[in-house]
Amino acid sequence: MKLSSTKVRFVGFVSAAALITGVLVSIPVAANAAPACDGKSPVQSCAGVTSDGAPYSMMVPANFNGTVALYSHGYRYNVDIPAGIPIVGGYKITNTPEPVPGGNMTVAGYLFSQGVAIIGSGFARQGWNLDSALATNVELIDTFKKQFPTTKKVVAWGSSLGGAITQALAETHPELVSAVAPMCMADTSVNAELTMAGDFLWGVKTLFDPTIKGGNYSAGAAGNGEAITDIVKVLTVMGQLQAGVSSGAWPTTSSATGKALAAGGVPSRSALLLLGLMAGLPTQSAHFDSLSGPAGALKLTFPLAVSPALAILENGTNAAILAILATQDVELQAGGAIFDNTKTDYSARIVNEKVIYNAALSGNTVINALLGALSAANPGAPRAVGNAAAIAKMNALQHNTGKINVPTILMVGVADPITPAGASQLVVDKYAEQYAAEKVAAFKAAKVNGFVPVRNKLLMLWNQTSGKGYTTFDSTTGSPITSTPAAQGTNHCNFTTSQLLMVAKTLVSAGQTGELPRGGALVTAVRKAGSLAIDPLFRAPLLKYYNEQS
Amino acid sequence: MKAMNRRKLFTVCATIAVASLAVTAIPAQAAEVGVSSSEIKLGMTLPMTGTASPGYNKIPGAVKAYFDYVNANGGINGRKLTLVVKDDQYVPTLAVAKTNELILKDKVMALLAPLGTANNKAVASVVNPGARGIPTLFVNTGFSGFADKKKYPTTFSLLPSYIMEAKIMAEYIKDNFAGKKLGLLYQDDDFGDDALAGFKQAGLNFDVKVAYASGSQGDKVSPAQWVTKLQAGGAEVVILFGVSSATAAALGTASVMKFAPQWILGSVGGDATTIKASGVPAGVLYNAVGASFAPATTDTADEYVKLFQEIYLKANPTETFDNNVMVGMNTAFLTAQALKAAGTNPTRKSLIAAIEKSGKNFASAALVPLNYSTTSHVGYNGYWFGKYSPTGDLKPAGGVYTVYTTDSGNGAVVKSTYKRPAMPAKGLPN
């Protein structure tokens, strides 16, 4: 379908800045020594370094009530990125400690006002660091307790990979934490996360620029250079796709397979959308809701045929950058190529999506042409072959089981493109089984010891997108506006201070009482936080990786 | 005795535990969602605006007219029926958002006649009324998959499936247009795929097939391309198996391009009012073949047509009583019976059970039977064929309804012997 009007002119890419985190304090001390504290009031700051070299920060209010909140920051790239590269350029590897989300002082101030101390580490290594971060946190808790012997309760929270680190702490050391709040949590499996991003990147390479390396990077500086080159190429492709969203034009770098599709009348926006759908990326992004259209001729056509592709453009850009940098990092840890799609059936991945987005995909004829082009049978679309030993080593990295040992609060945006809501859904599903089994066990135990009720230990907070739509359009040109802040429920770990405060309050309360809020109090708290839903029947789709596992 | 006590203890404790979980998640409901002492609230999503809306946007008015009639006659066990309508513009993502609104904000008891194959599939996979136990009554699509009770446990089909329609249509073509070059215009999605499956099942081959992407009928270029392809393929008989707006676009463009094959219109897009309202001259429709499972809307000798027309025109005096209205009112009529059969205090569960148990015996304006049971959520299963009159009204050939029925599998197409039961008194549920 050709668009009769060229009103879609410019789409700004979203920033991945949410991955990069803030600074609160930095006092250099020797590794494994007692922390150095400034003794100030009303909040004293302490700093130190754990035995593995991870710097940490402690901030303890004068009215410390014995509860400390341990925060784990999210994924930080493990490679310096030259300035001048859009979105991520100028990043330098940092292990600056981060004891509250994004250095949010309103949240810190609230916790201090309640007599709660905050601590956090910058971790010893960046990149995918679940194993080392877990060890760091265990040591940090011990160090804090020694420094502040009146400590009674430790609660833990974290964002993104930090959410997974927090969950890992609760799973492996439930004796150390009273409650946890993994937010926008990375999937329990690094393989699942990198499969999502890797599938999209492979598709971009296969159709739009076959010179993208997309994995199997060299070691050392050469590998860093290859990764940076890939980022530049991906951004170039995305820019050309953006320019061709109305006309359907393909990037000049497209592969022979891509060019054949273009010659057959397949619009590039449909190809881009299909790549996003098969990878499992959300079709709502920071500025594109797939619901709204500008006034006039495109009112219906825009949400039906264009907006989903633009949402993938926004979300996919970040996913592709993650795919490149995280793949390179995990390959270094695993010793070889870790992405393998030789057995992936992309057709099976989009059974529902090809119906829902049929118009945007330009109908079944185009869909079948695209799936044929991407099939393993097409020599023009060579699959990525992983290194079996490296994949085994990757799978041996710390991964979570989803077991809930202590009161747990999960919060995630339903359209988070980096750590999809499905990662939290997996834990919800596993807990449903666990909870049912615990109730049966309680019944059996009741015959001997009397009945002890099983308490619900999981609260799932879905940060929703607006059902009314949120894409805005220039009233004169009809072009979508992308300079506004990312909509609620979209982007990575995009939470308001109100939402973070709600989690903080609930976390501290659960840590102290052992119980999660419920009933009217919960409903009121959720309403006040804004945009959150606690609908137990809402289901986020699991990451596509699990298609191949079932 | 001890075991009994333990069982009781467990039941109590388990109930408390489950209740605790539920309370954590949602506030307790005093009664069934959408059912109060005075009202039963139902929700509908369909295109009220946008390219695909013409014709279908009359359905809510038809349903409301019948509900008002029921309400004026005491309602269902004293409860009035209320319909909340949401405009999804035939955009699946909007259907999801609007259905969420109906369920979470408007708190309807059931979804009623949501329209469109893609939209219903989107809602099923994202909102998942099936897992929530929310009845989705009489979906306004003939996609055969919605009768799959395992996959869509709370969904009830109503329209004969597109596979059935294609199979029956194929028989009609073989009988009446043997040897002619055949053309087909179809929607390039599951709606169209169902039709293709039916034609294939019936062994009907086309000389030229044109697929259109949903929404493309709204642009200036596509319909001319369709007609050019059909014309170039030498089609003498052309089946238009699309939505009303696509059917109208094809007929209107063909008229301009002086392409005048024998048209056969599928039931989805064959509403004459909509086609005429789109600017297609009535003469273009003349002698086109159409299909319906309900009596002709001009057949005022039919007791249902007579009553429904009377009710509808009283509520909507400036509107035309057409096939979309007829189907909408019949859907409302079935809904009222289902709610009545669901008991004095209907629940979502009892509503589903009532249709499964009694649905096949519900009174209905249709000339084909309903097929509901505990194992089947299939609604109607047949069609009669007729031709459009010079004024654009679909009438049965020779004034006699010859109805054919079949299934969505490999069953034969057979001439129906179904005798429609008499309408209950005043057209109200017994």
Side-chain angles (χ1 to χ4, degrees), chain B residues 155-233:
Chain B
T155 295
F156 289 88
S157 289
L158 179 64
L159 311 182
S161 76
Y162 300 132
I163 293 179
M164 295 174 189
E165 183 172 354
K167 284 170 68 179
I168 296 170
M169 197 178 270
E171 288 303 309
Y172 183 88
I173 290 168
K174 286 176 190 170
D175 288 348
N176 294 278
F177 303 110
K180 300 279 188 188
K181 280 192 135 185
L182 301 178
L184 172 69
L185 177 74
Y186 65 99
Q187 195 158 296
D188 197 7
D189 60 7
D190 277 22
F191 165 26
D193 278 359
D194 237 21
L196 292 177
F199 288 125
K200 189 178 177 188
Q201 174 73 28
L204 192 71
N205 297 312
F206 292 92
D207 298 282
V208 52
K209 285 193 286 193
V210 179
Y212 74 91
S214 175
S216 65
Q217 68 268 33
D219 68 46
K220 304 278 183 208
V221 184
S222 297
Q225 291 174 338
W226 310 339
V227 173
T228 301
K229 284 180 190 168
L230 291 165
Q231 219 166 4

Side-chain angles (χ1 to χ4, degrees), chain A residues 1 290-291 300 352 355-359 363-365 435 439 443 447 451 456 467 518-519 522 534-538, chain B residues 6 10 13 17-18 20-21 23-25 51 89 91-94 97 118 121-122 125 132 188-190 193 214 219:
Chain A
M1 187 195 318
S290 296
L291 297 172
L300 180 65
N352 285 325
V355 179
I356 299 170
Y357 298 100
N358 190 277
N364 281 358
T365 307
Y435 188 47
K439 284 190 285 190
F443 171 58
K447 293 175 182 172
F451 186 78
N456 169 42
R518 56 188 172 180
L522 174 62
I534 48 174
D535 180 359
L537 295 175
F538 172 83
Chain B
R6 280 189 193 125
F10 172 66
C13 295
V18 170
S20 162
L21 178 64
V23 167
T24 299
T51 311
Q89 298 179 49
V91 177
T93 48
L94 265 176
K121 275 207 162 185
S125 69
R132 293 165 181 256
D188 197 7
D189 60 7
D190 277 22
D193 278 359
S214 175
D219 68 46

Side-chain angles (χ1 to χ4, degrees), chain A residues 241-481:
Chain A
L241 286 167
Q242 177 186 317
V245 79
S246 291
S247 65
W250 284 60
T252 52
T253 51
S254 294
S255 65
T257 294
K259 283 175 179 162
L261 289 164
V266 174
S268 58
R269 62 175 176 278
S270 295
L272 173 67
L273 174 59
L274 187 128
L275 298 185
L277 294 173
M278 73 186 201
L281 295 177
T283 48
Q284 290 192 308
S285 68
H287 301 101
F288 296 99
D289 56 26
S290 296
L291 297 172
S292 318
L298 288 178
K299 174 116 183 95
L300 180 65
T301 307
F302 189 83
L304 191 67
V306 182
S307 187
L310 287 171
I312 294 298
L313 190 73
E314 277 198 318
N315 288 337
T317 302
N318 278 333
I321 291 171
L322 174 75
I324 293 164
L325 295 175
T327 296
Q328 188 214 1
D329 174 61
V330 176
E331 282 182 350
L332 284 173
Q333 296 184 55
I338 46 93
F339 179 70
D340 187 313
N341 66 350
T342 48
K343 292 180 181 165
T344 305
D345 180 357
Y346 289 118
S347 182
R349 292 270 192 92
I350 61 163
V351 168
N352 285 325
E353 290 88 341
K354 74 177 184 182
V355 179
I356 299 170
Y357 298 100
N358 190 277
L361 291 165
S362 302
N364 281 358
T365 307
V366 166
I367 295 168
N368 292 336
L370 282 164
L371 289 173
L374 294 169
S375 80
N378 178 15
R383 294 297 177 99
V385 182
N387 176 318
I391 291 170
K393 201 168 175 188
M394 170 179 67
N395 289 333
L397 292 173
Q398 170 69 37
H399 62 276
N400 295 331
T401 64
K403 187 168 193 301
I404 301 294
N405 289 321
V406 298
T408 300
I409 303 138
L410 297 177
M411 180 166 71
V412 67
V414 296
D416 188 319
I418 299 296
T419 51
S424 296
Q425 182 69 57
L426 187 67
V427 174
V428 170
D429 290 349
K430 285 177 181 287
Y431 182 64
E433 292 172 13
Q434 178 190 331
Y435 188 47
E438 284 175 354
K439 284 190 285 190
V440 171
F443 171 58
K444 285 181 181 166
K447 293 175 182 172
V448 182
N449 303 320
F451 186 78
V452 178
V454 180
R455 295 199 184 284
N456 169 42
K457 293 198 289 278
L458 180 62
L459 172 61
M460 181 69 239
L461 301 170
W462 303 106
N463 190 18
Q464 294 179 301
T465 55
S466 167
K468 295 185 187 308
Y470 52 81
T471 304
T472 53
F473 301 90
D474 183 286
S475 58
T476 307
T477 64
S479 297
I481 296 169

Side-chain angles (χ1 to χ4, degrees), chain A residues 499-518:
Chain A
Q499 291 166 339
L500 291 172
L501 280 172
M502 189 254 172
V503 171
K505 286 177 188 175
T506 309
L507 176 65
V508 170
S509 161
Q512 291 172 344
T513 66
E515 291 193 27
L516 291 166
R518 56 188 172 180

Side-chain angles (χ1 to χ4, degrees), chain B residues 381-394:
Chain B
N381 66 342
Y383 279 103
W384 57 268
F385 281 87
K387 287 198 170 184
Y388 289 87
S389 71
T391 53
D393 298 311
L394 182 64

Side-chain angles (χ1 to χ4, degrees), chain A residues 49-256:
Chain A
V49 179
T50 54
S51 59
D52 59 359
Y56 61 80
S57 162
M58 300 170 174
M59 299 183 81
V60 184
N63 61 339
F64 179 52
N65 68 6
T67 297
V68 58
L70 164 65
Y71 181 74
S72 296
H73 69 71
Y75 190 93
R76 294 176 183 171
Y77 303 131
N78 199 24
V79 58
D80 290 340
I81 302 173
I85 292 177
I87 301 177
V88 287
Y91 169 80
K92 298 274 184 200
I93 300 172
T94 176
N95 59 3
T96 303
E98 184 184 347
V100 282
N104 188 317
M105 290 313 295
T106 304
V107 174
Y110 165 76
L111 291 168
F112 295 150
S113 74
Q114 302 301 303
V116 177
I118 61 174
I119 58 175
S121 165
F123 301 131
R125 86 176 293 281
Q126 302 311 314
W128 192 273
N129 61 2
L130 205 53
D131 296 76
S132 68
L134 178 58
T136 298
N137 276 347
V138 170
E139 183 179 332
L140 181 55
I141 291 170
D142 183 58
T143 303
F144 184 86
K145 285 178 173 174
K146 282 178 180 158
Q147 185 72 18
F148 298 96
T150 58
T151 303
K152 292 179 224 151
K153 303 281 184 187
V154 177
V155 295
W157 58 338
S159 303
S160 192
L161 181 59
I165 293 165
T166 302
Q167 174 66 17
L169 183 62
E171 285 186 16
T172 57
H173 295 281
E175 75 285 0
L176 295 182
V177 287
S178 301
V180 294
M183 300 183 292
C184 45
M185 181 173 58
D187 197 84
T188 56
S189 154
V190 60
N191 203 345
E193 282 286 340
L194 294 186
T195 295
M196 176 192 77
D199 283 324
F200 185 74
L201 181 61
W202 175 82
V204 170
K205 167 189 165 80
T206 300
L207 294 184
F208 301 130
D209 185 353
T211 70
I212 291 171
K213 194 165 171 60
N216 201 16
Y217 295 107
S218 306
N224 290 352
E226 290 164 357
I228 301 302
T229 301
D230 267 3
I231 290 174
V232 172
K233 286 179 177 176
V234 164
L235 292 175
T236 302
V237 162
M238 290 300 181
Q240 292 195 23
L241 286 167
Q242 177 186 317
V245 79
S246 291
S247 65
W250 284 60
T252 52
T253 51
S254 294
S255 65

